[in-house]
Amino acid sequence: MNEPRNYFVTGGSRGLGEGIVLEAIASGSDVAFAYRSNKSAADDVIRQAQELRPGARCQAYQLDVSDPDQVSEVADRVLEDFEDIGVLVNCAGVNRDNLVISMADDEWAQVIATNLSGPFYVIRAFLSNMLANRFGRIINISSIQHNGGSGQANYAASKAGLHGLTKTVAKEYGRKGITANVVVPGFFDTDMTRETMPQAAKDYWKKHCPMPKGRMGYTSEIAKTVTFLASPGGGFINGDVISVTGGLNWTT
Ligand SMILES: NC(=O)c1ccc[n+]([C@@H]2O[C@H](COP(=O)([O-])OP(=O)(O)OC[C@H]3O[C@@H](n4cnc5c(N)ncnc54)[C@H](OP(=O)(O)O)[C@@H]3O)[C@@H](O)[C@H]2O)c1
């Protein structure tokens, strides 16, 4: 059976996605990844990949995942360049917080389009290739806010929807050798949390997370969870939700 382990990672230029790209490179896979606009961050990831494993194939593609035409055009180019994609990681995500009563249409629409419609477009674009190989590992990055979070109706709805999408893909394509799972990160030090997470939420985390000193997660702890799901050892996990939260799953 042909089991290609090439990755395609959205949001691979920064934060958790960057960690996932580099861990996949370190574990011996070739990686195509997408970024929205920050080319210098994407170039830096490629430079790090070359340092980690000289000669490794790591290529960046500019893509707004909320645009279905761009997704299908970039997916075609990725498949031309890499031939097969066996592991698809939907990590790109945004938040634009507001209370429901004040939330503007574009705040709602951008977050749903990026965090939920984006993964749908990307999965749809790569499914034919995975079906042809009768192999695929689809890993969608959610959030502990998928059960609802004050000020995050758009974000919570997008992530809850991602769980439904993932479980459906698992049911539709599991028999064809394609698994789909959700990884739920807790609190990690990335641009997203640095720039937008309220101090009160950070303080709450530090006080209540049942980890030494209430620490945040390390990016590598998400990345290694993803590479495990993509590895042969992860092959019987399908339609599942893997929490990487240090035990503080405050919304469940
Ligand atoms: N950090 C946490 O503690 C945490 C907790 C729970 C869940 N998560 C989830 O984990 C994922 C990664 O979060 P992060 O903290 O690493 O975020 P981040 O540091 O803000 O990075 C976001 C990444 O997504 C890309 N991106 C944003 N909008 C995009 C679009 N429309 N099309 C394509 N790419 C787009 C960005 O590209 P550019 O660099 O070009 O802008 C960047 O690579 C997100 O889905 C987030 O919801 C994070």
Side-chain angles (χ1 to χ4, degrees):
M1 186 170 51
N2 184 15
E3 292 190 352
R5 302 275 167 181
N6 294 338
Y7 279 59
F8 180 66
V9 182
T10 71
S13 54
R14 291 189 284 123
L16 300 183
E18 172 182 359
I20 292 165
V21 169
L22 295 175
E23 183 62 32
I25 291 285
S27 68
S29 286
D30 289 338
V31 180
F33 72 89
Y35 64 100
R36 177 183 44 183
S37 55
N38 192 338
K39 184 170 184 315
S40 65
D43 289 342
D44 189 56
V45 172
I46 293 173
R47 185 193 53 73
Q48 292 181 66
Q50 290 309 323
E51 269 177 30
L52 259 180
R53 190 160 62 83
R57 197 125 186 254
C58 185
Q59 217 159 300
Y61 299 79
Q62 200 264 316
L63 166 67
D64 180 347
V65 294
S66 67
D67 179 336
D69 293 335
Q70 278 189 41
V71 170
S72 79
E73 188 261 320
V74 167
D76 286 349
R77 277 201 284 134
V78 168
L79 289 170
E80 246 177 71
D81 294 344
F82 283 75
E83 200 171 337
D84 291 305
I85 290 297
V87 184
L88 168 57
V89 186
N90 281 301
C91 188
V94 289
N95 56 352
R96 291 183 65 187
D97 297 355
N98 220 331
L99 295 174
V100 170
I101 197 166
S102 322
M103 189 170 284
D105 291 353
D106 69 303
E107 290 171 334
W108 173 265
Q110 187 199 354
V111 173
I112 297 291
T114 304
N115 298 4
L116 178 57
S117 302
F120 166 68
Y121 301 141
V122 176
I123 291 167
R124 186 176 61 181
F126 284 99
L127 261 177
S128 299
N129 177 252
M130 290 179 171
L131 285 168
N133 290 319
R134 292 187 94 72
F135 177 80
R137 298 278 175 267
I138 297 169
I139 299 147
N140 295 325
I141 308 299
S142 173
S143 163
I144 46 175
Q145 303 296 66
H146 72 271
N147 279 324
S150 202
Q152 294 201 304
N154 48 3
Y155 187 76
S158 72
K159 297 299 189 182
L162 191 59
H163 289 225
L165 169 63
T166 308
K167 285 165 189 269
T168 300
V169 171
K171 289 192 167 118
E172 287 186 7
Y173 302 101
R175 281 182 175 260
K176 309 279 186 198
I178 299 166
T179 64
N181 291 289
V182 171
V183 171
V184 175
F187 173 27
F188 292 77
D189 184 25
T190 66
D191 292 342
M192 180 180 272
T193 49
R194 252 172 256 136
E195 285 162 14
T196 60
M197 189 166 166
Q199 189 56 45
K202 291 178 182 168
D203 293 343
Y204 182 94
W205 185 277
K206 203 170 173 57
K207 188 166 176 199
H208 295 286
C209 181
M211 280 279 133
K213 297 187 180 162
R215 75 164 173 93
M216 293 178 275
Y218 304 128
T219 304
S220 61
E221 290 166 334
I222 292 292
K224 284 179 192 292
T225 303
V226 167
T227 48
F228 172 69
L229 287 170
S231 75
F236 202 54
I237 302 172
N238 192 22
D240 240 316
V241 177
I242 318 293
S243 289
V244 187
T245 63
L248 180 53
N249 221 338
W250 62 38
T251 56
T252 55

